[in-house]
Structures are given as structure tokens and as C-alpha cells.
């Protein structure tokens, strides 16, 4: 195959690639979505199912995306032109582009919320009489339903994302991820240490680590899979796009396992940072999406040194969100620059306006547009539901079928061993091929059917 890699930018090495990919994966999904879903769905049971799905279903799918991206060295649409010229597989590319468009729209709104809460933490707003739960809950709902303020922060967040992406893959995305990911790790560890040393925190750790499988329903499994897809940025071209910047000498197995490992560790750390504190202060763990923005500020106000801890937490939330939103924006940017031959800056500007409008609709759907319901959901929830529970699963399914059956075993083997130059045990290769061809697609289809029946 012709090597197109010199013409494009690429990540410096496998560790850098893992940082960028983990940057995409670790985000609001870990720090905001995972803790509240876990809280609503029975703690440890949810985690156990999540881990099984991450290893046996998501790891093969992430590999599939890496294979498509690295082999084609193209965006999610162009990749199919290179790998299966003249065939209708390109349509997958379109399906996969839709998901990041919907995701970034509401993601940027929540990213904006985290800027607002970081500013509040910096001015030590969660103290004294401002710390009771009723006040914090009305503060949150007044803020998100306000027609202007969240829009301002959404603009700011999207603007920061656009600047990093416009600067480029190496100087923007790679450099940013390399600096902030280790920082994020250190900060989350600080919060975990603080949380688990609170008196009464052990009940929270029990909640996270003692599974009760009698509580499992098909809905729990679907939610866990949707969350695993969301958290690992799967089924929507993000990983394909990032993998297209991975050099031909890098070890794809190492990159994918590293990404899944870091993402899962971050989700668990976020759980360990939040649940012990929730239990220590006698709060209901199934608080829902407000967990991070209502419950946590209350907890911060109660603990010693809560002010600085709040600053660290909301700063972490913001940078985790940024490293993910840049990966979402990069999907469309790569597509526009390569397929329509636009300059990078123009591609980013056009994307910015698109996401600004869709994001504004999501933001306003919390307040003035809350009456606009589609299938009983407001625009924000609709975008979240369609992307995580339908588009990304469908995208993941189609991508695995493409690699497992259309490209086939030989290509999988070539990519995982770098044309035979890396030694990978044959049993491992066979297992991976089996997971990609049978297990992952079957599991996704089964979960889809369950979802439709119930
Ligand atoms: N994975 C990120 C998180 O956990 C969000 C994200 C980045 C994403 N790229 C994505 C979600 C693509 C869905 C699709 O927050």
C-alpha cells in the first residue's frame, strides 16, 4: 500500500499517541457521566458489567478503529475510499460523522458549565450560607436554565477547543494532551486521597467494590455498554481519526490496551473520588446528572480544605473535557480538510459555527426551549440518547463487520504485527480475530434487540 504518512502530521511515538487517545477517552464521560450512572445503577454491579464489556467488546472495537485509521491514514470518510474503493462502505463514514456532531453539541454545553463552576470555585463561592443543598440545587438549575450565561460559557469552551485544533495535530492536540494528561492524573489522585480519608467514607468504597448481581437488568447492561462506548469515544470516527496520525511502526495492541487501561482507571478513580464523599456526608448516590454540579459543591463546602479541593476538581473537569472535545472537533476538521481541501483554519471556523448553533439549541433546551420535545426528550437529552444508545453502537457494529469480514483476518494480522515485524502470540491473534468477527458484533446486536423489546 502506498505510504501517505509523510504528507500528514503524525504523533511522535506510541506513548504520545496513547496520551492523545487517552485524552480523547478521559473526559466528562469519566468524571461526570460514569459516577452518576454508577450511582443510579447499583454501584459495583454496574462497574463489574462495565469492566467485562470494556475488555471483551470495546477493546476489540477500539482495535478495529485503530486498524482502519492507521492503515488508511485518512479521515473517517476518506478511509473507506482507500480501504474499499468504489464500495458502499463509505456510508459508514457518514453514520460515524453524525455521532461526534451530536456529542460535541451537548458536550460543549457541559464543558461550559465546568468553566462556570471553576470560576465559582476560584472565588470560593461554595462556602457558608451558600453551601446548603437546596441553595446549590437552585443555583445549578437557575444557571442552566438561564438563556444567556450558559451560552456565553459554551462559546468560551468551544472557542478554546477550536483554537487548540486550529493550531494543528502536533503543536495543538499532541502538545496539549501531553502536558495536561499527567497533570489530570495527579489532581484526581489528590482528590481520591482526600475522599477516602474522610470519616465514614468506607460505605462509599463498599458501594463501588461489592457487586450484587441480583440487581442486573437488561437496561443496566445497555447503559453500561452505552457508557463504555461514550467513555472510550467509540463508534464515531474519533479513534479512527486519531489512529490515522499513528505511525506505521507503532504497536497498535499496545496503543489500544493503553487507552482502555487509562480510561478505565480514570473512571474508577472518579468513582473513588466521588462515592466515598457522597456516603461520608450521607447523600443519596443516585442523584443523577446534577451529582457533580450540586452534590459535590455541597460536599466541598463541608470538608476541611474544601475550597482548594473544589478548585482542583473543577479544573480537572475542564481540562478532561477539553482533551475530549478537541478529538470530537478533529473528526469533522480532518474530514473537511481532506475531502473538501479546505485550509485547517477554515475547516475549524466552519465547524465552530455549526457546533455553536447546535450547542446553543442544547443549552436553551434546558430552559426556554424545554417545551420542545422529540420522542418525549428535550434536545439535549435527545442528542445524548441518539448518539450514545443508537449511532455509536450502530457505528461500532458496522466498523467491526467491515474490519472482521470485509478486510478480513489477513489485514488484522498484518496491522497487529506490523506486517510480521512484531511478535504477537498466535493464540492472542486468534482470540482477537474471534472477538472482532463474532463476539463484538453479536453482543451489540443482542443488546440492541433487548433494548427494543423492553
Ligand atoms: N470519551 C469522552 C468522554 O468520556 C467523550 C468523547 C470524546 C466522545 N470523543 C467522543 C464521546 C466520541 C462520544 C464519541 O468524555
Amino acid at each position: 500500500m502506498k505510504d501517505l504518512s509523510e504528507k500528514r502530521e503524525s504523533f511522535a511515538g506510541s506513548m504520545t499517541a496513547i496520551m492523545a487517545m487517552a485524552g480523547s477517552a478521559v473526559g466528562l464521560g469519566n468524571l461526570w457521566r460514569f459516577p452518576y450512572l454508577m450511582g443510579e445503577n447499583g454501584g459495583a454491579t454496574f462497574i463489574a458489567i462495565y469492566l467485562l464489556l470494556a475488555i471483551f467488546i470495546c477493546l476489540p472495537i477500539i482495535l478495529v478503529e485503530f486498524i482502519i485509521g492507521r492503515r488508511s491514514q485518512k479521515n473517517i470518510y476518506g478511509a473507506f475510499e482507500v480501504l474499499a474503493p468504489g464500495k458502499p462502505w463509505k456510508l459508514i463514514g457518514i453514520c460515524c460523522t453524525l455521532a461526534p456532531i451530536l456529542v460535541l453539541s451537548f458536550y460543549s454545553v457541559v464543558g461550559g458549565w465546568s468553566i462556570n463552576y471553576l470560576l465559582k470555585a476560584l472565588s470560593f463561592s461554595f462556602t457558608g450560607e451558600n453551601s446548603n443543598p437546596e441553595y446549590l440545587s437552585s443555583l445549578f438549575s437557575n444557571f442552566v436554565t438561564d438563556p444567556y450565561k450558559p451560552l456565553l460559557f459554551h462559546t468560551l469552551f468551544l472557542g478554546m477547543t477550536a483554537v487548540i485544533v486550529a493550531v494543528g495535530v502536533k503543536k495543538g492536540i499532541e502538545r496539549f494532551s501531553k502536558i495536561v494528561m499527567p497533570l489530570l492524573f495527579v489532581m484526581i489522585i489528590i482528590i481520591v486521597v482526600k475522599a477516602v480519608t474522610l470519616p465514614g467514607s468506607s460505605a462509599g468504597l463498599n458501594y463501588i467494590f461489592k457487586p450484587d448481581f441480583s440487581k442486573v437488568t437488561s437496561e443496566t447492561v445497555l447503559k453500561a455498554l452505552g457508557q463504555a462506548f461514550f467513555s472510550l469515544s467509540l463508534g464515531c470516527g474519533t479513534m479512527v481519526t486519531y489512529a490515522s496520525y499513528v505511525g506505521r511502526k507503532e504497536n497498535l495492541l499496545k496503543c489500544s490496551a493503553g487507552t482502555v487501561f487509562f480510561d478505565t482507571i480514570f473512571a474508577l478513580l472518579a468513582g473513588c473520588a466521588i462515592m466515598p464523599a457522597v456516603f461520608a456526608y450521607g447523600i443519596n448516590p443516585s442523584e443523577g446528572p446534577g451529582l457533580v454540579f450540586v452534590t459535590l459543591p455541597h460536599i466541598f463546602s463541608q470538608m476541611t480544605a474544601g475550597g482548594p479541593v473544589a478548585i482542583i476538581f473543577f479544573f480537572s473537569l475542564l481540562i478532561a473535557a477539553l482533551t475530549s472535545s478537541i478529538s470530537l472537533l478533529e473528526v469533522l476538521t480532518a474530514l473537511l480538510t481532506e475531502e473538501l481541501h479546505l485550509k485547517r483554519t477554515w475547516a475549524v471556523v466552519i465547524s465552530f459555527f455549526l457546533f455553536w448553533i447546535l450547542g446553543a439549541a442544547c443549552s436553551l433546551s434546558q430552559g426556554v426551549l424545554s417545551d420542545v420535545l422529540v420522542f418525549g426528550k428535550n434536545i439535549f437529552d435527545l442528542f445524548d440518547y441518539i448518539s450514545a444508545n443508537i449511532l455509536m453502537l450502530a457505528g461500532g457494529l458496522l466498523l467491526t463487520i467491515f474490519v472482521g469480514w470485509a478486510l478480513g483476518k489477513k489485514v488484522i494480522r498484518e496491522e497487529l504485527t506490523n506486517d510480521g515485524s512484531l511478535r504477537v502470540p498466535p493464540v492472542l491473534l486468534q482470540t482477537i480475530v474471534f472477538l472482532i468477527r463474532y463476539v463484538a458484533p453479536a453482543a451489540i446486536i443482542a443488546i440492541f434487540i433487548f433494548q427494543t423489546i423492553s
Side-chain angles (χ1 to χ4, degrees), residues 172-434:
I173 297 176
E174 175 180 310
R175 199 165 50 178
F176 185 70
S177 311
K178 237 166 61 183
I179 298 171
V180 304
M181 288 311 288
L183 184 67
L184 189 61
F185 196 69
V186 173
M187 293 196 295
I188 196 88
I189 297 277
I190 295 176
I191 301 175
V192 170
V193 170
K194 177 78 191 166
V196 297
T197 49
L198 290 171
S201 65
S202 57
L205 290 174
N206 263 342
Y207 186 75
I208 301 177
F209 292 112
K210 279 222 182 102
D212 172 5
F213 284 98
S214 65
K215 294 209 188 94
V216 181
T217 63
S218 61
E219 174 133 49
T220 323
V221 180
L222 178 71
K223 282 196 181 150
L225 187 66
Q227 169 60 17
F229 263 64
F230 185 90
S231 189
L232 288 163
S233 316
L234 290 186
C236 65
T238 318
M239 287 302 174
V240 172
T241 308
Y242 268 20
S244 73
Y245 304 125
V246 171
R248 299 227 182 265
K249 286 197 224 70
E250 310 306 341
N251 182 336
L252 288 191
L253 270 173
K254 193 164 122 189
C255 292
S256 54
T259 307
V260 174
F261 176 78
F262 282 121
D263 186 64
T264 309
I265 290 288
F266 262 99
L268 293 176
L269 284 174
C272 293
I274 294 171
M275 285 304 155
V278 164
F279 277 81
Y281 291 101
I283 287 163
N284 179 4
S286 50
E287 198 52 48
L291 186 64
V292 158
F293 295 105
V294 178
T295 314
L296 282 187
H298 170 65
I299 292 171
F300 293 142
S301 70
Q302 305 295 305
M303 57 173 69
T304 41
V309 177
I311 295 173
I312 298 177
F313 180 81
F314 285 110
F315 185 58
S316 307
L317 194 65
L318 175 61
I319 59 178
L322 270 173
T323 54
S324 300
S325 62
I326 55 181
S327 75
L328 285 158
L329 185 58
E330 180 62 21
V331 176
L332 196 58
T333 305
L335 194 142
L336 292 176
T337 47
E338 289 175 0
E339 301 305 313
L340 302 183
H341 308 289
L342 292 181
K343 276 232 169 72
R344 196 171 180 82
T345 323
W346 278 114
V348 171
V349 170
I350 293 171
S351 312
F352 177 90
F353 282 108
L354 173 72
F355 290 118
W356 191 86
I357 293 169
L358 291 174
C362 288
S363 180
L364 296 174
S365 77
Q366 301 291 313
V368 287
L369 295 184
S370 61
D371 293 338
V372 182
L373 299 179
V374 186
F375 303 123
K377 293 185 188 316
N378 67 27
I379 303 171
F380 186 111
D381 295 341
L382 184 76
F383 280 18
D384 183 7
Y385 187 87
I386 297 183
S387 51
N389 292 0
I390 301 173
L391 288 176
M392 293 168 69
L393 291 184
L397 177 65
L398 295 171
L399 294 173
T400 21
I401 293 176
F402 175 71
V403 170
W405 298 93
L407 291 184
K409 288 185 220 173
K410 188 167 153 277
V411 171
I412 301 178
R413 215 168 284 138
E414 278 171 16
E415 284 298 319
L416 298 191
T417 61
N418 293 351
D419 293 321
S421 60
L422 289 177
R423 286 204 27 193
V424 180
V427 198
L428 183 60
L429 274 178
Q430 277 156 7
T431 313
I432 290 170
V433 169
F434 182 71

